Amino acid sequence: MHKNQIAPSVIQDVLESAANAAEKGQAQWHTPLPWAQILALPLVRYRTAIADLSCGNGQLLAGASKRAELLGCDIEKTTDGIVQADITKFYSLLRAVNWKCDLFVLNPPWDLHWYKSLRTATVGTSTGLAALAESHVPAVCRAFVAHDPRIGRDAIDSTIATLCIALDCCSEYGEGFLIANEATLKRLIFSPAAPYRMLAGHIWAHLTVQGNICQTKGRSDFVTGIIYFARAPQSKPFKTHCSSFESAKVMCEQLKSRRLEFRKGPEATSYMHTKNCADLWQAAADEYKARTSPLPHYNIWLDENGIIRTFLSLFDEHSGRVSKDEAAGLYALSGRKPIHLVVQRAQRKALEAAVNRTLWRVDPKLQEAVKVAVTEYNNVRAPLYPLSKIQRLGYLDEQDEIQCVKNLSKSGFTHFEAGKSYALRSTTVAVKRHGEKVNLEGEMDAVEWDGQELAFFITDCYGVEQCFMEARLRDKDTEVNLLPANHTGKWGKKDLGDRCPINFTLQELVTHFHIPDVPDVATLDPQRYQRHLTALDQIAALCN
């Protein structure tokens, strides 16, 4: 059947993919099952997965094998199990997951002028066919930049493009066949001046059949061309002409028995083939569906109970779009409420980064919930009155750097210069103090106190971290030790790190550095502050 019209459900995709779509329609021919069965005879016998990049009703795949995994893609939904996708957009997703296949059976749309680059942002970051310019197959790279004088430089013939995609996605022992208009094959590949003649180096057999094999009635002078190709470079292809279905069947049976005379290079066997072909195909299919669906598909969202949920697709895992650390960071947020993640600075920053990055597809409800949680946290954390510099040090853990306002020197060396900013980090350290305490009998006992204190580390002009802590902790009876990273608050002697010398005091910190202001409740939320004052006045009036 020849489909020269455009189905209403795919008209947008068709018009976006081809420059001459309005004139040609879908330009799709369905291969009769008997022809599909005989044309598959010369292919390798070991068939685990077979792909058709524009499969129509799937008959070409069905005729190629009854037991293999059949991977079909078509712009129009025709049958179950077929990925409904525009191959000019789907290809970049296949390439992103490094999809490879051992076997292709192809009957692409005839004489459509596909755009080399996408004219739409329908599928997000996909780049259309542009990735063919970076193919590992040299002939594909050269073919993609070659120019067919009939069409613009921004387009490529659908037959040539499909062959290029298949070669680029072939495993090292991959192969297949392609059905086309013989006149197109001659003009674009086999004639001496053909613009894509470099692709002939991958063709090992070339059959021509009188008439259109996809049409029971048609022009008597029409000739169908079938080319058998392989990823490995080939010598001059075997060529023959068939006048009928019967003669084509005989020839395909002969090619089956003599294929190794013409087919060069490695081929798939029971112990050498691409094992994850179907999984990666499905990963790309799921991603295409997610990007083109009118319904949202989120990586991170808020469920009906206000709890954060996360999801990464097979495409995310296989495409390299997301690193292991990024995936781990996303999953660490799952199962928590936003308000629970904003108390600790590291978790709050991770949450804000996750909901604001373009890396993830984020539920807008979650973005709003995070804003509300952060605002509420700041309101609760705000002091009741303006704080002194020393008091404001408790809020300094929110800063990544600090500005020096007065030179700070030690032992003749200036460690910090006024007007410059320095990297700042704050952490807790282990503090142990030794002393004496009166026991119940009135005698003095030697005692030891263990605890934790806040320390500020500022990287000086020489790239060395200087520790700022309370002056009293410099006492000879006090030990200060670093704690292991990611400690949970409980630690023993074996967990203690190196001794932590106190280089400068907190008084020096507030004298020589700018300590940012901390807005109090009256500044941060004046309306609520006024309501509380009014309520207090009313209570006072009642009491009086």
Side-chain angles (χ1 to χ4, degrees):
M1 179 177 64
H2 178 204
K3 300 181 70 174
N4 58 6
Q5 301 299 317
I6 304 177
S9 60
V10 297
I11 188 169
Q12 183 69 27
D13 283 333
V14 173
L15 293 176
E16 287 176 351
S17 64
N20 63 338
E23 173 190 350
K24 291 288 185 178
Q26 290 179 241
Q28 186 180 55
W29 298 92
H30 291 167
T31 312
L33 187 60
W35 276 103
Q37 291 170 334
I38 68 165
L39 293 178
L41 290 174
L43 297 176
V44 63
R45 290 182 298 172
Y46 190 75
R47 306 172 186 180
T48 56
I50 306 174
D52 186 350
L53 305 178
S54 47
C55 66
N57 60 11
Q59 289 186 158
L60 191 55
L61 282 169
S65 177
K66 294 181 179 180
R67 291 177 293 182
E69 191 90 42
L70 304 181
L71 310 176
C73 164
D74 197 80
I75 198 169
E76 183 181 1
K77 183 69 173 179
T78 55
T79 183
D80 292 338
I82 300 301
V83 177
Q84 184 177 2
D86 179 355
I87 188 58
T88 66
K89 301 170 184 175
F90 188 47
Y91 159 66
S92 59
L93 300 181
L94 292 172
R95 206 172 193 276
V97 296
N98 196 30
W99 177 75
K100 299 294 180 184
C101 190
D102 297 326
L103 206 55
F104 291 85
V105 291
L106 308 168
N107 185 1
W110 292 3
D111 197 29
L112 280 180
H113 303 163
W114 284 346
Y115 291 116
K116 291 183 176 181
S117 296
L118 286 182
R119 295 301 180 94
T120 176
T122 303
V123 283
T125 57
S126 296
T127 54
L129 304 176
L132 289 172
E134 302 172 355
S135 174
H136 295 296
V137 182
V140 171
C141 296
R142 298 200 304 273
F144 187 72
V145 298
H147 177 228
D148 178 357
R150 293 184 318 125
I151 61 181
R153 291 188 176 274
D154 63 341
I156 184 171
D157 184 88
S158 51
T159 296
I160 298 300
T162 301
L163 179 57
C164 286
I165 293 172
L167 287 173
D168 183 55
C169 293
C170 268
S171 65
E172 62 176 307
Y173 20 81
E175 62 180 273
F177 69 78
L178 180 146
I179 303 170
N181 182 341
E182 175 60 17
T184 298
L185 296 177
K186 281 185 178 180
R187 179 173 51 80
L188 297 180
I189 297 179
F190 293 117
S191 70
Y196 304 106
R197 57 189 177 278
M198 68 287 293
L199 297 175
H202 289 274
I203 298 171
W204 58 273
H206 178 195
L207 273 60
T208 56
V209 181
Q210 198 65 39
N212 187 340
I213 67 172
C214 302
Q215 198 174 29
T216 54
K217 295 181 180 181
R219 290 166 39 195
S220 59
D221 61 337
F222 188 92
V223 178
T224 302
I226 301 100
I227 54 175
Y228 291 84
F229 60 89
R231 169 72 177 264
Q234 304 295 305
S235 55
K236 187 175 181 180
F238 168 82
K239 184 176 180 179
T240 186
H241 180 74
C242 306
S243 59
S244 64
F245 174 82
E246 292 302 326
S247 62
K249 181 179 179 181
V250 171
M251 183 51 60
C252 288
E253 289 173 342
Q254 291 182 11
L255 274 179
K256 175 183 177 181
S257 61
R258 300 177 58 193
R259 63 178 259 117
L260 294 183
E261 295 181 32
F262 311 109
R263 162 71 161 89
K264 307 301 180 184
E267 65 175 46
T269 66
S270 60
Y271 54 87
M272 182 179 68
H273 64 281
T274 306
K275 297 181 182 296
N276 61 348
C277 179
D279 291 340
L280 295 182
W281 175 273
Q282 190 59 49
D286 291 343
E287 182 67 9
Y288 188 93
K289 182 178 180 181
R291 294 188 182 189
T292 57
S293 172
L295 299 176
H297 291 259
Y298 299 124
N299 294 119
I300 178 169
W301 69 96
L302 208 60
D303 70 10
E304 62 276 6
N305 297 315
I307 296 175
I308 297 173
R309 300 299 179 191
T310 58
F311 171 77
L312 289 181
S313 66
L314 289 173
F315 180 85
D316 293 320
E317 296 176 9
H318 291 291
S319 66
R321 187 177 78 91
V322 178
S323 68
K324 290 183 178 180
D325 289 341
E326 289 169 332
L330 182 71
Y331 284 132
L333 304 175
S334 185
R336 310 284 295 277
K337 290 188 175 182
I339 194 64
H340 297 157
L341 293 171
V342 299
V343 177
Q344 294 187 14
R345 180 172 184 254
Q347 290 183 332
R348 182 169 67 256
K349 294 298 183 183
L351 177 61
E352 290 179 317
V355 300
N356 293 320
R357 290 181 65 184
T358 56
L359 179 66
W360 310 120
R361 290 188 288 269
V362 184
D363 181 359
K365 293 181 181 178
L366 174 59
Q367 291 176 321
E368 185 60 31
V370 170
K371 290 180 181 178
V372 171
V374 171
T375 300
E376 184 64 24
Y377 167 74
N378 289 331
N379 289 340
V380 172
R381 188 172 184 260
L384 295 175
Y385 52 84
L387 302 178
S388 66
K389 283 189 175 183
I390 283 290
Q391 291 173 316
R392 296 204 299 268
L393 291 180
Y395 293 80
L396 206 57
D397 60 336
E398 294 292 324
Q399 306 297 317
D400 293 317
E401 61 178 29
I402 191 170
Q403 185 181 33
C404 180
V405 296
K406 181 180 178 182
N407 285 3
L408 180 57
S409 303
K410 186 177 183 180
S411 302
F413 294 93
T414 299
H415 291 272
F416 302 97
E417 298 178 11
K420 292 186 177 180
S421 294
Y422 298 89
L424 166 73
R425 70 180 180 94
S426 58
T427 185
T428 54
V429 295
V431 175
K432 181 185 295 184
R433 291 193 300 112
H434 301 275
E436 292 183 334
K437 183 179 180 181
V438 179
N439 61 25
L440 295 176
E441 297 179 357
E443 299 177 349
M444 301 299 293
D445 284 343
V447 294
E448 181 181 281
W449 290 275
D450 289 330
Q452 297 181 33
E453 297 279 353
L454 183 64
F456 298 99
F457 293 88
I458 306 177
T459 304
D460 65 13
C461 298
Y462 309 103
V464 178
E465 280 193 329
Q466 303 292 332
C467 178
F468 292 74
M469 293 188 71
E470 289 188 63
R472 64 181 178 83
L473 298 177
R474 283 176 165 173
D475 189 87
K476 64 178 182 178
D477 292 327
T478 302
E479 295 179 19
V480 180
N481 292 79
L482 298 175
L483 285 171
N486 302 321
H487 69 93
T488 60
K490 295 182 179 180
W491 48 271
K493 292 183 178 180
K494 64 179 180 179
D495 299 317
L496 295 180
D498 297 334
R499 293 290 293 270
C500 178
I502 300 173
N503 308 108
F504 299 98
T505 67
L506 295 185
Q507 189 59 49
E508 289 173 310
L509 177 59
V510 298
T511 301
H512 292 267
F513 291 88
H514 171 66
I515 310 302
D517 290 330
V518 178
D520 56 25
V521 292
T523 304
L524 202 60
D525 194 349
Q527 293 181 346
R528 185 162 64 169
Y529 180 72
Q530 276 301 314
R531 289 198 302 270
H532 288 170
L533 284 182
T534 302
L536 288 174
D537 290 340
Q538 292 172 348
I539 293 172
L542 290 173
C543 293
N544 290 336

